[in-house]
Amino acid sequence: MTKGIGVQGKSKHISILAGGCAAIAYVAFLAPAAALAQEAGTTLLQTITVEGAKNQDPKAPVKGYVAKTSASATKTGRSLVETPQSVSVITKDQMDAQTVRNLSEALNYVPGVVAQPSGADPRFDAPRIRGFQGNQLQFLNGLRLMRTAGAPPYEVYGLERVEVIRGPASVLYGQGNPGGLINLVSKRPTFERFGEVGAQIGSFDYYQSMFDIGGPVAGTDSFAYRLTGLARKAHTQTDNLQNDRYFIAPALTWQPDEDTKLTVLASYQHDNPSSPSGLPPALTYSRPGNMLDRSFYVGDPSFDTSNRKFTNIGYEFEHRFDETFTFRQNARYSNFDWSYRALGMSSTSGGMIGNLIRRNATFQDELLNTFNIDNSLQADFSTGPIDHTLLVGLDYRYFDNNVKTEFWAATPLNPVNPVYGGPISLTSRTLYADVKTDISQIGFYAQDEMAIENWRITAGLRQDWASTSGTTFNGTTYRTLDKDDHKLTGRVGVSYLFDGGFAPYVSYATSFEPVPQPAVGDAPKPTTGEQWEAGIKYQPEGFDGFFSAAIYDLKQKNVTTTVGGVTQQMDEARVKGLELEGVASLTDGLDLRAAYTYMDSEVSGRVNDGKELDSTPRHAASLWLDYTFAEDTALEGFGIGGGVRYVGKRYGDAANTFEMKGLALLDLGVHYEKNGYRASLQVQNLTDKEYISSCSTFGCYYGDGRTVMGKLTYRW
């Protein structure tokens, strides 16, 4: 049963609504200056944005691969070429062309991102951005997806685009590590009637059906709806691991006039992801050529169970008062309920007891409730020769977390002759944790985007107050988790728009992230981050494309390290890097995305001094091409696409004990479209390359082998 957010949480929510009104009053002081500027005939900022991008809705569908604006980078819909920060946008058309099944696959061709550092995992996505963990940096429609051990996964079929912001983003989004963030943008209603039905079938007993319909509500011109859903029955490359899912996402838009818009977004997701266990290094990494098969199953189908439900309901409201002021309010309530038990490799003694695989049994019950609200007021005005887009906002996040976890030493497994079906003996309990926490964060932010002829200047400040209250119980004693943090963060960026579409820029940004109270030891300080970045962006006038290059110097201080079971802040992490990215949708039917990444990481401190960050390759590169034959040719409607992904050598653990070799993976796809029907066949890892994605004391994990996926859709 869903747990309520409580009286205290509700009162806080009401106070934030009042705070949103206060934000309006704050910016209203600027009205006289704005009015005087308009009377003088000064041009507003939105009239001088880059041609080709000013009319593109940052949340609307994009034809092809090239998005010109971002919904996340500045919260104002600024064009990418004018944004002094690295931003990548993966459109729905690209995800369809690559037959993307999850977020990790959508990120495979993005620079600065390691999409699957620990191999494919149906439980949640945990990409790394610029060397830093991204499992707490995932957002849905600009509001954070909360979970203590990795964000709940959201079905990608329900998405219009995925946006990746690289570098600190605390000014607009509050606490987070300096790597960046990933914002998932949901499909929204349109006032044009449409529909899609389809089916997928593929490797590992993958069967899926889906639908996506919408348009204006009958008899009205102010209401539009959308209904998206799917049903999936599937396994993974590991034997006996299930990946079933049911997903439904209704949405409704009310737009009584051109100045007012309210969109209600909801979703319900029910799945049963099993935990892919690591395999002992002694049976994989340490003896190449005689390794356990990547399908090897450490668990037991008679024991392992999983049941997970993820519910979201929220809205986006926007009202333009006049040519100067626009108010927005986004809010969402989420409930996450997950109960599972699973057998997996124990990290004790390298996962081995003699010639047998040492196993742990995990029991976990999670019940999480999250409430997010973001109020903002945008003012577009001029002061003399300077055009301003001023954004003032107040946001609030409330998260109650009730998680009970147990680890038990369990019956070991013979890797040579595994026997499944029980009986499973639980010999001793090695961990018991009952954690109950309430986490809240209030942030006040202000951002000014200024235009002075060809110059663009973006500056922002934010003050955050974060609070945690709760207890943890280990079976014998309680420990309080009460903790309060506050921090001021900021960013500034400058760019110059040359004729022809070139825009060099330089920027500086900071971030902070509170560290949870550990089971033992002193209360830690928040980690802090800062980054210098310089680059150049190019939006050509002759064809639909976008290209960027960036260099950066990124630091995180107060990095936590566990020594002897005690969490201590002993290290500092630094990453210097180069990123190149190009994306284009050409009129002759050719779409492409290319990327190159260089990351030089180093940890300094008392524990891992001189080591590199784990799962952080020094070199990575990718290239995807898709060509569709033109009309009036013999192969009209037919297309072929393919890509190569290279990931250089990297370390599998923080101590740099395990070095993973570099590898290249090939993807290939063909498709045919006619009269609304589209058929495609996609093959990932075409050569069936066998490789280990990561390896540490928690075990070694394989990357996905050859995966074949066929898809048939009909659109009208």
Side-chain angles (χ1 to χ4, degrees), residues 44 49 62 68 102 107 123 132 146 151 221 240 249 302 357 360 401 497 512 532 548 608-609 620 625 648 687 692:
L44 296 179
T49 54
V62 174
K68 304 294 178 58
N102 51 56
L107 300 174
R123 299 173 301 165
F132 295 91
M146 296 288 290
D221 58 2
N240 297 304
S302 69
I357 298 177
N360 269 345
N401 175 34
L497 305 183
F512 94 110
W532 285 98
S548 64
N608 295 314
D609 188 59
L625 298 170
T687 63
I692 294 175

Side-chain angles (χ1 to χ4, degrees), residues 511-535:
S511 68
F512 94 110
E513 184 176 28
V515 178
Q517 181 80 6
V520 295
D522 299 329
K525 301 177 181 179
T527 66
T528 59
E530 63 175 352
Q531 175 186 270
W532 285 98
E533 179 175 310

Side-chain angles (χ1 to χ4, degrees), residues 64-86:
Y65 290 16
V66 185
K68 304 294 178 58
T69 59
S70 166
S72 315
T74 64
K75 291 188 178 181
T76 60
R78 180 68 52 207
S79 66
L80 293 178
V81 74
E82 296 178 281
T83 302
Q85 189 171 10
S86 294

Side-chain angles (χ1 to χ4, degrees), residues 255-526:
Q255 190 168 0
D257 53 58
E258 63 179 10
D259 296 324
T260 305
K261 187 176 184 180
L262 173 67
T263 298
V264 179
L265 299 164
S267 66
Y268 175 76
Q269 185 172 298
H270 187 191
D271 50 20
N272 61 344
S274 303
S275 175
S277 171
L279 301 174
L283 301 179
T284 50
Y285 178 85
S286 300
R287 62 176 197 183
N290 191 25
M291 300 189 295
L292 287 177
D293 191 82
R294 57 192 169 196
S295 63
F296 188 85
Y297 178 49
V298 179
D300 195 296
S302 69
F303 182 89
D304 296 351
T305 63
S306 179
N307 184 42
R308 184 169 70 179
K309 292 170 284 189
F310 185 29
T311 307
N312 294 280
I313 178 69
Y315 64 86
E316 297 179 348
F317 174 75
E318 178 177 324
H319 178 70
R320 185 175 65 179
F321 294 100
D322 49 35
E323 293 299 320
T324 301
F325 294 106
T326 301
F327 174 73
R328 300 182 183 93
Q329 185 178 80
N330 301 341
R332 184 178 68 247
Y333 166 77
S334 300
N335 173 261
F336 183 75
D337 189 354
W338 190 15
S339 297
Y340 74 90
R341 68 182 191 188
L343 288 170
M345 188 203 89
S346 169
S347 60
T348 304
S349 302
M352 300 295 295
I353 177 170
N355 294 322
L356 304 178
I357 298 177
R358 187 189 298 268
R359 292 193 295 185
N360 269 345
T362 300
F363 299 81
Q364 184 147 321
D365 291 299
E366 298 185 41
L367 182 59
L368 317 177
N369 292 282
T370 305
F371 178 78
N372 287 268
I373 188 167
D374 183 14
N375 307 278
S376 64
L377 184 65
Q378 179 177 322
D380 296 286
F381 60 96
S382 300
T383 55
I386 306 174
D387 298 320
H388 300 264
T389 294
L390 179 65
L391 186 72
V392 178
L394 183 71
D395 60 25
Y396 171 73
R397 182 183 306 124
Y398 176 82
F399 172 60
D400 73 57
N401 175 34
N402 189 347
V403 180
K404 184 181 293 184
T405 306
E406 292 185 61
F407 291 168
W408 289 78
T411 305
L413 183 68
N414 188 336
V416 179
N417 184 29
V419 177
Y420 302 108
I424 304 299
S425 176
L426 306 181
T427 57
S428 62
R429 190 168 69 180
T430 58
L431 173 71
Y432 178 85
D434 187 355
V435 180
K436 299 178 180 179
T437 55
D438 292 330
I439 301 173
S440 64
Q441 177 183 307
I442 297 177
F444 178 79
Y445 59 90
Q447 173 185 264
D448 193 4
E449 297 169 273
M450 293 166 278
I452 311 172
E453 296 182 343
N454 289 50
W455 292 95
R456 300 292 185 270
I457 303 171
T458 300
L461 285 173
R462 177 188 179 100
Q463 178 66 49
D464 274 297
W465 298 267
S467 177
T468 300
S469 62
T471 59
T472 178
F473 179 61
N474 65 5
T476 57
T477 59
Y478 285 91
R479 177 178 171 88
T480 181
L481 301 177
D482 296 354
K483 190 171 183 291
D484 294 305
D485 296 296
H486 58 90
K487 189 68 177 178
L488 180 70
T489 54
R491 74 169 178 180
V492 62
V494 180
S495 61
Y496 187 86
L497 305 183
F498 285 95
D499 295 337
F502 288 95
Y505 70 92
V506 62
S507 64
Y508 173 80
T510 63
S511 68
F512 94 110
E513 184 176 28
V515 178
Q517 181 80 6
V520 295
D522 299 329
K525 301 177 181 179

Side-chain angles (χ1 to χ4, degrees), residues 4 16 38 64 116 147 211 267 271 310 353 375 470 558 587 591 596:
I16 296 302
Q38 292 173 10
Q116 296 179 330
R147 186 171 173 266
F211 67 89
S267 66
D271 50 20
F310 185 29
I353 177 170
N375 307 278
N558 298 328
T587 56
D591 295 297
Y596 169 75

